[in-house]
Amino acid sequence: MKLDSGDITQLTVDAIVNAANRSLLGGGGVDGAIHRAAGPLLLKECQSLGGCETGQAKITKGYDLPAKYVIHTVGPIWKGGEAREKELLASCYSESLKLADSHDINAIAFPCISTGIFGFPKQLAAEIAISTCKSYHEDTGSEIEIIFCCFGAEDTDIYKKLLSSSL
Ligand code: AR6
């Protein structure tokens, strides 16, 4: 597991993960950036997917992105912590990884799902992201390379600290 900072749309990896909404038809934040960089054919493919439930994931091609695939996952909206938000966020990471492993993807980059517009506390979200990915590697034996793409100093700091203590 490693850390990268900056714009996920610029990363040359097999797959980048999109923090989408249940319609899968685009939005603001990283979702908007991914659709802008991938071009209109991404939206066209997304329109054929029939949306996605919170905590689940669906895959499309990457079109004009350097990444070959986009894995769209829908994080939970933070409602105070008693609405299965933690479990649903963990599910976003594990379902995205399962999908990646079934498509021969060797490296995948995640944004900090749910921590922007959806309001999930950043520190808690990072702890869930890292522990879920670590367990996925341990439980499945998968060797997929996982990159946490932090956008901004606050997330970069949080991940730096957590990764140095968990590796
Ligand atoms: N590269 C990497 N990370 C980014 C980028 C980027 N180009 N742009 C933003 N981030 P958000 P959410 C970070 O709000 O909270 C959309 O409208 C951002 O700083 O994109 O899951 C969807 O359609 C934050 O750390 O996603 C949904 O409706 C992280 O990405 C809703 O927002 C996630 O912030 C999803 O909200």
Side-chain angles (χ1 to χ4, degrees):
M1 293 189 286
K2 66 181 196 192
L3 171 67
D4 205 316
S5 357
D7 183 358
I8 201 166
T9 67
Q10 303 303 307
L11 297 184
T12 304
V13 283
D14 301 329
I16 62 170
V17 175
N18 182 16
N21 59 60
R22 290 169 56 191
S23 77
L24 296 187
L25 299 179
V30 71
D31 194 3
I34 288 173
H35 276 272
R36 277 193 298 279
L41 291 178
L42 177 62
L43 179 60
K44 206 161 174 218
E45 187 175 355
C46 285
Q47 283 165 343
S48 73
L49 297 177
C52 180
E53 292 302 319
T54 304
Q56 299 299 308
K58 294 198 176 174
I59 191 164
T60 64
K61 288 183 269 188
Y63 299 97
D64 293 344
L65 291 165
K68 187 170 176 203
Y69 296 104
V70 180
I71 293 178
H72 306 262
T73 189
V74 183
I77 299 171
W78 181 257
K79 293 177 181 155
E82 300 301 324
R84 294 177 58 231
E85 294 97 326
K86 296 185 266 285
E87 181 191 330
L88 289 165
L89 184 64
S91 172
C92 288
Y93 285 90
S94 54
E95 291 299 316
S96 297
L97 289 168
K98 273 189 222 163
L99 203 49
D101 269 331
S102 68
H103 284 78
D104 217 16
I105 286 165
N106 295 312
I108 181 171
F110 284 97
C112 303
I113 300 164
S114 281
T115 65
I117 293 162
F118 281 178
F120 206 109
K122 285 175 178 294
Q123 175 75 30
L124 179 58
E127 287 167 12
I128 292 168
I130 291 172
S131 65
T132 304
C133 290
K134 198 174 171 198
S135 301
Y136 182 84
H137 272 149
E138 286 166 2
D139 297 347
T140 64
S142 166
E143 288 179 4
I144 190 167
E145 182 181 2
I146 299 171
I147 298 144
F148 298 106
C149 179
C150 294
F151 198 64
E154 193 182 349
D155 274 321
T156 304
D157 261 19
I158 291 172
Y159 273 82
K160 233 182 228 165
K161 288 196 185 106
L162 287 173
L163 285 170
S164 63
S165 61
S166 82
L167 290 177

